[in-house]
Amino acid sequence: MASAPVSSAAPQLSTTAPAGHSVVPIDLGERSYDILIGDGLLKAESFAGLPRSAKALIVTNTTVGPLYTAQLRAAIAPLHQQVLDVELPDGEQYKDWPALNQVFTKLLEEAADRKTVLYALGGGVVGDMTGFAAACYMRGVPFVQVPTTLLAQVDSSVGGKTAINHPAGKNMIGAFYQPLRVVCDIDTLDTLPQRELLAGLAEVIKYGPIADAEFLSWLETNLDLLLARDRAALRHAIQRSCEIKAWVVGQDEKESGLRAILNYGHTFGHAIEAGMGYGAWLHGEAVGCGMVMAADLSARLGLIDEATSQRIRALVERTGLPVQGPDLGADRYIELMQVDKKAEGGEIRFVVVGPLGQAGMRGAPDAMVRDVIAANVR
Amino acid sequence: MASAPVSSAAPQLSTTAPAGHSVVPIDLGERSYDILIGDGLLKAESFAGLPRSAKALIVTNTTVGPLYTAQLRAAIAPLHQQVLDVELPDGEQYKDWPALNQVFTKLLEEAADRKTVLYALGGGVVGDMTGFAAACYMRGVPFVQVPTTLLAQVDSSVGGKTAINHPAGKNMIGAFYQPLRVVCDIDTLDTLPQRELLAGLAEVIKYGPIADAEFLSWLETNLDLLLARDRAALRHAIQRSCEIKAWVVGQDEKESGLRAILNYGHTFGHAIEAGMGYGAWLHGEAVGCGMVMAADLSARLGLIDEATSQRIRALVERTGLPVQGPDLGADRYIELMQVDKKAEGGEIRFVVVGPLGQAGMRGAPDAMVRDVIAANVR
């Protein structure tokens, strides 16, 4: 690889307690916390040891709220005198200031103090917004992630990246702010639409090329089980994804180096999302397609061979995710990628793979980027 | 004092270099920085050693911008290839999301990356908003405080508290985010309206009762010089204020204890500001009046004698600041104070003084609070 940082071998899979849930620790000094992964975790035991407070606020959306708010409310009732909730509109297009402000308004109307605990119940949008609300309300209150989508369980709820979108860029306004705990109840995936399950699998697949070639092989072998929502397969996939993410985030909490590899597929993906208007493509769909483009770029840069690039493309395609981007025009792709947070001084920095199971960041010649775009849009 | 935390003796005044500027260090580990205080500091030397970057953004307002942007731009030109600026509307009533979003929009329009340095050029509102914008833009970019009001130089630019207001509460949305440096150019006070000078003196006076009885005596002796903008007197007052603030913030960056004493006068003061509508009273005017009320409360609680309470009142009055609050009704005062960030579980926590030069936090009987309000409004 031409440029640092390069990931090296991720840690081995930890042993799963035979009955019960798995625990993946995130080691961030005084901001360390655990990810709990298992079935039936929306119960009091999963929240034991978290801070008690007069008030708590469950932040959810109009889709997830009716399904799980009552269960979560019962689970955290032992910790709080009053459990409030607020339902935000559902969708990436509402990951914005007006929706965020609904949380602040609710907290202030209820005279919620600095010890109030926020619970994020939902997918990535709810998690990112709740985390950012917690980071900002009275300059910081504690929060807990209860992700109910595969994407949130394997990626967005872990690691403390919180944000809202700006019309000119995705996740441009946010904070690094760690939760006190992440509770991933696999049962909540039962109600997840298939399209969102597939979008979540894009972020699962991501961990193979960037950190664990064996996991990529495991995914190729077990994809049908995952698509059929086999509990054991899902649990393994979630746990391994969280372990790799924990290992990366533990080394680089604030994305000054290694952590950027988690954005594999995201530079092209963000351009697709922004270019189509937030919400048209699901984030995971854009990332899936973005990984195909980034694999192609890696091959053109000579970091992996063409067969490996095709292998990544084939897995994304078998998953049912788009492998061709919208034809926005190369200029527009490049313009949108230059606004990405990973750009520096206008130079676009791509997460590239090579050899398989390792990743790094680097720029690429403009002509090559245009070739990648031309070859992967329709 | 009945309850912790209680401040004890603040450090001695440090020696001022005979010619040149004073430096007050803020000790916060890897977030440590210096406050520079002196005349003629809007020059390159004051910014030496700060990070170089392709872009920088000066955030100022429509009043201060025309006076000092050109000077600051020249001073930081050696560090940046391009220095942008954005002028926000002037006033506490614009310390809100739409104004903050102007900063984000400007940064995104200019494709400003994560290394972009923000410079806050103005008073407390500009400083708080710029700091919060820096905390949130791409999850955090560096920023420098260049306060041009007395209030900002002695209080708001130091210590990393950043925020915007919400219609339901002042400074309710924000972050603890430290600047890289604070440059206090006393020359910029030449253009400060007298009403704002007086408002700034409220925050200067504050440091006496809570931390340094000798400084209170010095203020009583030198008030006329300060009101006449005597350079040496101003420099001493700013330096001593910053030293005391640095000492407090260095012990309690995130206001879990001691730091709350810096809010002396602010609980009543916030109620006045919110009750009258932000902008009707200057923050320092509300704090001045709030200190009189908090001193009265401290006397009623038996923590200081009535003469000491009157001494604080007399200094506030001689400064030309209001010593009687608006008659909002006791219920409204209490309602507004319960939303204050220092309230916990609905109980209002007041910063009280006693003995003179030390402060602590405690609740007070409802009837006593009502007596204080009744005795100090008109």
Side-chain angles (χ1 to χ4, degrees):
Chain A
M1 296 288 307
S3 62
V6 176
S7 62
S8 54
Q12 292 303 299
L13 184 67
S14 47
T15 312
T16 301
H21 58 266
S22 313
V23 177
V24 177
I26 305 266
D27 183 8
L28 294 169
E30 60 183 20
R31 293 182 300 286
S32 296
Y33 56 94
D34 286 336
I35 310 167
L36 276 51
I37 303 162
D39 302 332
L41 290 187
L42 290 189
K43 60 185 177 190
E45 293 87 326
S46 307
F47 302 89
L50 290 171
R52 293 168 180 279
S53 68
K55 290 174 201 280
L57 176 67
I58 298 172
V59 181
T60 184
N61 67 31
T62 49
T63 306
V64 175
L67 298 170
Y68 300 111
T69 295
Q71 239 178 296
L72 178 57
R73 179 188 290 281
I76 62 176
L79 298 171
H80 311 289
Q81 289 157 39
Q82 190 184 11
V83 178
L84 308 161
D85 68 275
V86 62
E87 285 188 359
L88 304 179
D90 184 12
E92 180 81 25
Q93 67 271 40
Y94 300 109
K95 190 174 168 179
D96 59 5
W97 171 260
L100 185 72
N101 201 31
Q102 281 188 44
V103 179
F104 296 134
T105 300
K106 178 74 178 181
L107 289 165
L108 288 163
E109 276 174 4
E110 301 284 350
D113 66 23
R114 279 182 176 178
K115 304 209 161 166
T116 303
V117 182
L118 269 54
Y119 292 82
L121 176 68
V125 172
V126 164
D128 282 11
M129 294 184 72
T130 308
F132 189 42
C136 298
Y137 185 64
M138 294 190 175
R139 301 195 183 93
V141 296
F143 88 111
V144 175
Q145 290 272 18
V146 187
T148 62
T149 67
L150 183 57
L151 183 140
Q153 291 186 353
V154 300
D155 184 33
S156 60
S157 71
V158 175
K161 275 196 183 180
T162 74
I164 58 173
N165 298 330
H166 184 281
K170 197 170 142 64
N171 292 327
M172 284 294 160
I173 303 166
F176 288 99
Y177 197 71
Q178 301 296 340
L180 297 180
R181 187 172 297 172
V182 182
V183 177
C184 297
D185 183 356
I186 298 177
D187 287 347
T188 61
L189 301 183
D190 287 345
T191 50
L192 191 67
Q194 190 70 5
R195 185 180 170 198
E196 297 214 29
L197 185 81
L198 305 189
L201 284 173
E203 298 280 4
V204 173
I205 292 169
K206 174 182 80 176
Y207 293 108
I210 64 168
D212 187 351
E214 270 184 48
F215 184 51
L216 187 69
S217 300
W218 183 90
L219 288 168
E220 289 170 327
T221 306
N222 292 278
L223 183 65
D224 294 339
L225 286 171
L226 289 169
L227 292 171
R229 304 186 188 216
D230 175 86
R231 275 289 201 286
L234 280 173
R235 182 162 165 175
H236 177 85
I238 296 166
Q239 183 174 340
R240 187 66 191 137
S241 298
C242 287
E243 283 169 349
I244 295 171
K245 180 143 190 185
W247 165 75
V248 172
V249 171
Q251 291 172 81
D252 177 22
E253 182 181 3
K254 296 200 173 167
E255 198 167 30
S256 45
L258 180 65
R259 183 165 179 166
I261 67 166
L262 296 173
N263 290 317
Y264 174 59
H266 285 59
T267 302
F268 288 107
H270 281 179
I272 293 172
E273 283 186 275
M276 296 299 284
Y278 296 129
W281 284 48
L282 293 181
H283 176 67
E285 292 169 342
V287 167
C289 186
M291 289 193 294
V292 172
M293 296 167 96
D296 186 359
L297 181 66
S298 304
R300 287 171 198 260
L301 286 165
L303 303 168
I304 52 175
D305 58 22
E306 178 60 23
T308 301
S309 171
Q310 286 302 323
R311 197 180 150 193
I312 294 170
R313 187 181 200 279
L315 183 59
V316 172
E317 191 162 27
R318 268 183 65 206
T319 303
L321 291 163
V323 290
Q324 287 189 298
D327 189 3
L328 306 170
D331 288 347
R332 181 73 176 134
Y333 265 97
I334 287 167
E335 181 192 341
L336 288 164
M337 292 192 291
Q338 277 170 338
V339 186
D340 194 87
K341 286 189 292 300
K342 290 173 291 301
E344 267 178 29
E347 197 209 15
I348 308 166
R349 308 273 295 164
F350 295 93
V351 182
V352 287
V353 169
L356 190 66
Q358 293 186 29
M361 291 202 71
R362 55 179 285 180
D366 183 70
M368 187 183 287
V369 174
R370 288 173 186 271
D371 286 347
V372 168
I373 293 165
N376 293 281
V377 301
R378 58 167 171 199
Chain B
M1 294 289 307
S3 62
V6 175
S7 62
S8 54
Q12 291 305 298
L13 184 67
S14 45
T15 312
T16 301
H21 58 265
S22 313
V23 177
V24 177
I26 306 266
D27 183 10
L28 295 169
E30 60 183 20
R31 292 182 302 283
S32 295
Y33 56 95
D34 285 337
I35 310 167
L36 276 51
I37 304 162
D39 302 333
L41 291 188
L42 290 189
K43 60 186 175 189
E45 293 87 325
S46 307
F47 301 90
L50 290 170
R52 293 169 180 279
S53 68
K55 291 174 201 278
L57 176 67
I58 298 172
V59 181
T60 184
N61 67 31
T62 50
T63 306
V64 176
L67 298 170
Y68 300 111
T69 295
Q71 239 179 297
L72 178 58
R73 180 189 289 280
I76 62 176
L79 298 172
H80 311 288
Q81 288 158 39
Q82 189 185 12
V83 177
L84 308 161
D85 68 274
V86 62
E87 285 189 356
L88 305 178
D90 184 12
E92 180 80 28
Q93 68 272 37
Y94 300 110
K95 189 174 169 180
D96 59 5
W97 172 260
L100 185 72
N101 201 33
Q102 281 188 44
V103 180
F104 296 134
T105 300
K106 179 73 177 180
L107 288 165
L108 288 164
E109 276 173 2
E110 301 284 349
D113 66 22
R114 279 183 177 175
K115 303 209 161 166
T116 303
V117 182
L118 270 54
Y119 292 82
L121 176 68
V125 171
V126 164
D128 281 12
M129 294 184 74
T130 308
F132 189 43
C136 298
Y137 185 64
M138 294 191 174
R139 301 196 184 91
V141 296
F143 88 112
V144 176
Q145 290 272 19
V146 187
T148 63
T149 67
L150 183 58
L151 183 140
Q153 293 186 352
V154 301
D155 184 34
S156 59
S157 71
V158 175
K161 275 196 184 183
T162 74
I164 58 172
N165 298 331
H166 183 283
K170 197 171 142 64
N171 293 327
M172 284 294 161
I173 303 165
F176 288 100
Y177 197 70
Q178 301 295 339
L180 298 180
R181 188 173 296 171
V182 181
V183 177
C184 298
D185 181 356
I186 298 176
D187 286 348
T188 62
L189 300 182
D190 287 346
T191 50
L192 191 68
Q194 190 69 5
R195 185 179 169 197
E196 297 212 29
L197 185 81
L198 305 189
L201 284 172
E203 299 279 4
V204 173
I205 292 169
K206 174 183 81 177
Y207 294 108
I210 64 167
D212 187 349
E214 269 183 49
F215 184 52
L216 187 69
S217 300
W218 183 90
L219 287 167
E220 288 170 328
T221 305
N222 292 277
L223 183 65
D224 293 339
L225 286 171
L226 290 168
L227 292 172
R229 303 186 189 216
D230 175 85
R231 274 289 201 287
L234 279 174
R235 182 163 166 175
H236 178 86
I238 295 166
Q239 183 174 340
R240 187 66 192 138
S241 297
C242 287
E243 284 169 347
I244 295 171
K245 180 144 189 184
W247 165 76
V248 172
V249 170
Q251 292 173 79
D252 176 25
E253 182 180 3
K254 297 201 173 168
E255 198 167 31
S256 45
L258 179 66
R259 182 166 179 164
I261 68 168
L262 296 174
N263 290 316
Y264 174 59
H266 285 58
T267 302
F268 288 108
H270 281 177
I272 292 171
E273 283 186 274
M276 297 299 284
Y278 297 128
W281 284 49
L282 294 180
H283 175 67
E285 291 169 343
V287 168
C289 186
M291 289 194 294
V292 172
M293 295 166 95
D296 186 0
L297 182 67
S298 304
R300 285 171 199 260
L301 286 165
L303 302 169
I304 51 175
D305 58 23
E306 179 59 22
T308 302
S309 170
Q310 286 302 324
R311 196 179 149 192
I312 294 169
R313 186 183 200 281
L315 183 59
V316 172
E317 191 160 27
R318 268 183 65 205
T319 304
L321 291 162
V323 291
Q324 288 190 297
D327 189 4
L328 307 170
D331 289 346
R332 181 72 176 136
Y333 266 97
I334 288 168
E335 181 192 341
L336 289 164
M337 292 192 290
Q338 277 170 337
V339 186
D340 194 86
K341 285 189 292 301
K342 292 173 290 302
E344 268 177 27
E347 197 208 16
I348 308 165
R349 307 273 296 163
F350 294 93
V351 182
V352 288
V353 168
L356 190 67
Q358 294 186 28
M361 292 203 68
R362 56 179 286 181
D366 183 71
M368 188 183 287
V369 175
R370 288 172 186 273
D371 285 347
V372 168
I373 294 165
N376 292 283
V377 300
R378 58 166 171 197

